[in-house]
């Protein structure tokens, strides 16, 4: 399921329309590869950090609601080399490790990522206009305190996050030049458009001194001349090409990746762009050439499966999704796409296989509402109404819908055998809702 777009609640609008989060197994894997050594250097458990990709063209990144890192697609596509993006991640990790995020975790630990993103965009509206009312209009007056405080960093905190980032980069044997380069990119925008151009410049005050500190460190660090490994550069180019293919119009993609260019990233970008433009013959020419060259690549196989599935060729799609899962069995999103094709074929034996795949997904991603919804369908077809109701309760709880979660969990308890693990899980959902309602 490449690039699953999740709309943000509340009707907030942004430059590209309705804000959304992007899910993509390949891109998430690449970013985690960048971030996890930085988190470890900061003394943060990488498993405890949630990384989200925001479909927005801003050069932006944010930490919010505790250990939630939001990276905007504008930043991912603008970073020419991995080291630039890693520098930004290191800086945001400095905010995380330094406790600079407003202490709202108790209120946000059950809030969906989409709603936290709405907080961020509400703050962005306030920062861009200089008026707190703009953010409040996005999120509602009751959350105005969070809007004012959640991402407002002082220059002292910015300097502290910079110093921490430089330490993390040294600790992982990476250059700080990328961080300096990104700051210079922001300086250029600031000089051209002023701080109103990008909310990042308002929430992260940029001074010449900060840029100089990063550049001086790069000049004196033993890792100042370290470069990204070739294999990392290849993955970075693939990530950028994939995002550009999905998020830009075909003429723009062909300008950046002309048809005569036969690099892997160019073919990848064109395959995606042709598919989005419904030019499937051209998309398959590009994609099949990649699969022929890299038959074990799970993400090329996944993309072929997605295209086939979305155009009604479900049986063929199943073959490619199954191959992608076989090549990368630890990727929940690949399993989710595979399970979706199994359920679409509407055969009892395939529904049972879907239960196995989706059961693995929700172990890794217990707040994946799409997986829970599909699991409820598969359980229902398998003649397990209690488990179907429990799956719907899990989905409702994950998206913060207490009323539906309570209703479905109660229904599950009446259908499941008392004392079984599933019955006890339904009881846990009910008790958790009751506790939260008591807490207000």
């Amino acid at each position: 399921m490449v690039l699953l777009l999740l709309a943000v609640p509340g009707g907030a609008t942004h430059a590209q329309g309705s804000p959304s989060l992007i899910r993509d197994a390949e891109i998430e894997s690449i970013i985690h590869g960048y971030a996890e050594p930085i988190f470890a250097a900061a003394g943060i458990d990488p498993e405890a950090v949630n990384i989200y990709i925001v479909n927005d063209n801003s050069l932006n990144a944010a930490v919010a609601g505790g250990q939630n890192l939001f990276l905007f697609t504008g930043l991912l596509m603008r970073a020419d080399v991995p080291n630039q993006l890693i520098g930004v991640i290191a800086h945001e990790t400095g905010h995380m490790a330094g406790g600079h995020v407003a202490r709202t975790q108790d209120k946000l630990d059950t809030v969906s990522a989409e709603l936290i993103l709405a907080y961020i965009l509400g703050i962005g509206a306030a920062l861009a206009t200089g008026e707190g009312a703009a953010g409040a209009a996005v999120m509602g007056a009751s959350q105005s305190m969070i809007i004012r405080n959640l991402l407002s960093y002082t220059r002292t905190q910015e300097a502290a996050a910079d110093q921490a980032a430089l330490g993390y980069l040294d600790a992982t044997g990476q250059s700080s030049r990328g961080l300096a380069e990104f700051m210079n990119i922001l300086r250029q925008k600031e000089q051209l458009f002023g701080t109103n151009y990008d909310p990042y410049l308002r929430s992260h005050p940029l001074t010449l001194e900060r840029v100089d500190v990063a550049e001086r460190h790069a000049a004196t660090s033993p890792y100042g001349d370290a470069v990204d490994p070739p294999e990392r550069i290849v993955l970075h180019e693939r990530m950028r090409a994939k995002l550009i293919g999905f998020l830009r119009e075909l003429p723009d993609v062909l300008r950046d990746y002309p048809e005569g260019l036969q690099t892997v990233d160019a073919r990848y970008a064109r395959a995606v762009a042709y598919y989005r433009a419904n030019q499937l013959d051209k998309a398959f020419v590009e994609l099949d050439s990649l699969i022929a060259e890299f038959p074990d690549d799970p993400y090329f196989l996944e993309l072929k499966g997605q295209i086939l599935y979305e155009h009604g060729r479900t049986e063929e799609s199943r073959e490619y999704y199954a191959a992608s899962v076989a090549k990368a069995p630890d990727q929940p999103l690949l399993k989710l796409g595979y399970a979706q094709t199994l359920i679409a074929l509407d055969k009892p034996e395939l529904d049972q296989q879907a239960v196995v795949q989706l059961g693995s997904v929700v172990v890794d991603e217990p707040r994946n509402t799409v997986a829970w919804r599909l699991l409820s369908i598969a359980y229902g077809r398998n003649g397990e109404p209690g488990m179907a109701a429990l799956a719907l309760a899990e989905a409702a709880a994950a998206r913060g819908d207490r009323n539906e979660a309570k209703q479905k969990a109660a229904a599950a308890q009446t259908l499941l055998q008392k004392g079984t693990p599933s019955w006890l899980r339904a009881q846990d959902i009910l008790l958790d809702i009751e506790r939260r309602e008591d807490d207000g």
Side-chain angles (χ1 to χ4, degrees):
M1 186 175 291
V2 181
L3 292 181
L4 172 66
L5 299 182
L6 306 172
V8 173
T13 59
H14 211 247
Q16 291 178 310
S18 180
S20 57
L21 296 177
I22 288 176
R23 296 298 315 273
D24 179 80
E26 179 180 18
I27 295 172
E28 290 177 11
S29 177
I30 292 169
I31 293 174
H32 277 276
Y34 293 171
E36 289 179 1
I38 298 293
F39 295 154
I44 296 172
D45 179 6
E47 296 294 325
V49 182
N50 301 309
I51 300 178
Y52 300 102
I53 305 168
V54 183
N55 179 25
D56 187 283
N57 203 41
S58 300
L59 298 183
N60 207 346
V63 174
Q67 293 181 332
N68 296 293
L69 174 61
F70 293 82
L71 299 172
F72 286 49
T73 53
L75 168 64
L76 302 182
M77 291 186 289
R78 179 61 181 83
D80 296 319
V81 294
N83 189 237
Q84 292 177 0
L85 179 55
I86 292 168
V88 175
I89 292 171
H91 174 85
E92 296 300 328
T93 303
H95 283 305
M96 196 185 304
H100 301 162
V101 181
R103 302 299 185 183
T104 57
Q105 183 61 39
D106 289 343
K107 291 187 178 299
L108 291 178
D109 60 0
T110 61
V111 172
S112 69
E114 294 82 13
L115 190 53
I116 297 174
L117 173 58
Y119 287 144
I120 295 171
L121 293 172
I123 294 164
L127 293 168
T129 62
E131 298 180 2
V138 174
M139 291 306 303
S142 65
Q143 292 140 340
S144 61
M145 183 63 71
I146 293 176
I147 290 174
R148 285 196 299 271
N149 295 333
L150 188 60
L151 282 177
S152 180
Y153 299 133
T154 68
R155 291 188 177 186
T156 299
Q157 289 172 334
E158 286 301 297
D162 288 344
Q163 286 297 328
L166 299 176
Y168 305 150
L169 292 166
D170 279 349
T172 54
Q174 300 183 87
S175 175
S176 57
R177 292 192 188 280
L179 179 59
E181 290 166 0
F182 178 73
M183 287 182 177
N184 273 318
I185 291 170
L186 288 179
R187 278 186 64 203
Q188 292 168 10
K189 287 186 174 293
E190 188 176 29
Q191 290 166 356
L192 285 173
F193 301 103
T195 54
N196 284 335
Y197 179 78
D198 198 319
Y200 192 89
L201 297 175
R202 290 271 187 163
S203 61
H204 296 65
L206 186 61
T207 65
L208 182 60
E209 181 182 0
R210 288 182 57 211
V211 178
D212 288 343
V213 167
E215 290 179 340
R216 286 199 304 270
H217 183 87
T220 59
S221 168
Y223 306 104
D225 294 327
V227 296
D228 293 303
E231 60 272 17
R232 181 178 290 171
I233 292 174
V234 169
L235 291 176
H236 190 78
E237 290 173 346
R238 279 182 54 161
M239 176 179 70
R240 293 182 67 244
K242 192 174 195 178
L243 285 168
I244 290 168
F246 268 105
L247 300 178
R248 293 184 180 167
E249 297 302 318
L250 179 59
D252 296 328
V253 176
L254 294 179
R255 184 184 62 245
D256 291 342
Y257 300 97
E259 291 183 341
L261 187 60
Q262 292 301 306
T263 59
V264 171
D265 57 313
R267 284 180 284 164
Y268 205 9
R270 291 196 301 268
V272 172
Y274 283 135
Y275 142 63
R276 289 184 55 246
N278 208 30
Q279 298 182 29
L280 296 191
D281 289 344
K282 289 185 175 182
F284 285 142
V285 167
E286 303 284 5
L287 188 51
D288 288 344
S289 74
L290 292 170
I291 292 173
E293 189 173 347
F294 305 98
D296 294 330
D297 190 293
Y299 306 113
F300 296 151
L301 295 166
E302 177 202 22
L303 180 58
K304 181 79 177 274
Q306 179 186 358
I307 296 172
L308 291 168
Y309 176 82
E310 291 182 0
H311 287 82
R313 297 163 64 176
T314 310
E315 188 62 59
E316 294 175 78
S317 170
R318 176 169 66 127
E319 172 188 344
Y320 284 95
Y321 268 120
S324 73
V325 171
K327 302 301 182 184
D330 60 339
Q331 288 286 355
L333 291 183
L334 300 187
K335 297 176 187 176
L336 184 62
Y338 181 33
Q340 183 174 249
T341 65
L342 295 172
I343 289 172
L345 289 167
D346 195 10
K347 297 178 181 179
E349 66 276 14
L350 298 184
D351 288 334
Q352 293 171 8
Q353 293 179 35
V355 168
V356 173
Q357 296 295 329
L358 292 167
S360 175
V361 172
V362 297
V363 168
D364 291 330
E365 298 190 358
R367 295 175 65 85
N368 191 318
T369 58
V370 175
W372 284 117
R373 180 180 56 80
L374 291 173
L375 197 52
S376 72
I377 295 171
Y379 277 133
R381 289 181 184 172
N382 285 340
E384 300 179 78
M387 293 299 294
L390 178 58
L392 290 174
E394 295 278 14
R399 66 175 180 268
D401 188 337
R402 293 180 184 175
N403 289 334
E404 184 172 350
K406 184 187 297 186
Q407 177 186 359
K408 298 300 182 184
Q413 281 204 310
T414 66
L415 294 166
L416 295 165
Q417 184 178 348
K418 187 175 181 179
T420 61
S422 299
W423 186 92
L424 291 171
R425 175 55 190 158
Q427 183 179 59
D428 287 343
I429 293 174
L430 291 169
L431 291 173
D432 185 63
I433 293 171
E434 181 179 343
R435 177 182 64 82
R436 295 187 183 282
E437 288 176 341
D438 290 341
D439 291 343

